[in-house]
Amino acid sequence: MALLCCGARLSAQVNAEQVLNIGRNVLSMDDYMLSIQYFNQAIKAKPYLAEPYFYRALAKLQLEDYKGAEEDATLSMERNRFRTDTYRLRGFARQMLGHDSLAVVDYVGGLRYNPRDKYILFYKGVAETELKRYTTADSTLATLLRMYPRFEDGLGARARLNALRGDTVAALADLNQAISNNALNTNTYLLRADLLSRQGKWEEALQDMDRVIKLQPREDNLYLNRAYVRYNLDDFFGAMADYNYAIELNPTNEAALFNRALL
């Protein structure tokens, strides 16, 4: 009888691992709802394992269920507090919920176990910027860029921080360096176009928007951004053409419809 019980426990363990592996494979194929079903089975079989909660949190994060992701990350952390990824995941979920202070607590916790985690440092710097802890954010991003000097998202985050502090020269220098490192990162061009627009440098901003649209020609909201720049250059026909194409890509884009009507 004891042998039979032992065999049943071993079978349950193998099944939980198999289901977890299937769930991970499904998750890698971006089928988040189905992967959650597999993780639910693994949790039911072995509720004390940390991994199924972590991967279910990751799937929920992709589905923009940030509260559910936060809760599952907490359950995973209660079972294994040494996994850096869990601190990063819960911190990001908390940031998306607007809980930047709690996110920073998670990032500090994750850095205790891996002080070189690139994305924890990045998200921590962004959260501190949102909290207007500019001195701390500057220190965090300086640490990040000392370790990863070619990380263009880190340069973009510091550029945004510098812009908020009123140092547009330093902000542009970081963005220029980020674009030099990677000329295919659309976020960097968008940040620079926004900064140039705020300075009234519309021609230069237009050049950046042209590059972004060349890289992402099917993103309707980008045409709204370029239309705004063209409008400020008194290129009303160009702005109209951008609104028209944005609506062609997405007929329900309310901002494009509204702005076209105004124009």
Side-chain angles (χ1 to χ4, degrees), residues 102-143:
L102 290 175
V104 169
V105 171
D106 276 338
Y107 298 141
V108 170
L111 289 170
R112 281 202 301 268
Y113 302 110
N114 183 7
R116 295 187 62 87
D117 189 297
K118 178 164 67 173
Y119 289 100
I120 286 186
L121 285 166
F122 169 69
Y123 291 129
K124 180 173 178 283
V126 171
E128 288 165 342
T129 300
E130 291 298 319
L131 291 165
K132 295 183 171 56
R133 299 175 186 174
Y134 295 148
T135 302
T136 309
D138 185 62
S139 176
T140 299
L141 294 172
T143 301

Side-chain angles (χ1 to χ4, degrees), residues 16 18 42 51 86 142 203 236 243:
Q18 288 175 340
E51 275 198 296
T86 314
E203 290 285 358
F236 303 126
Y243 290 136

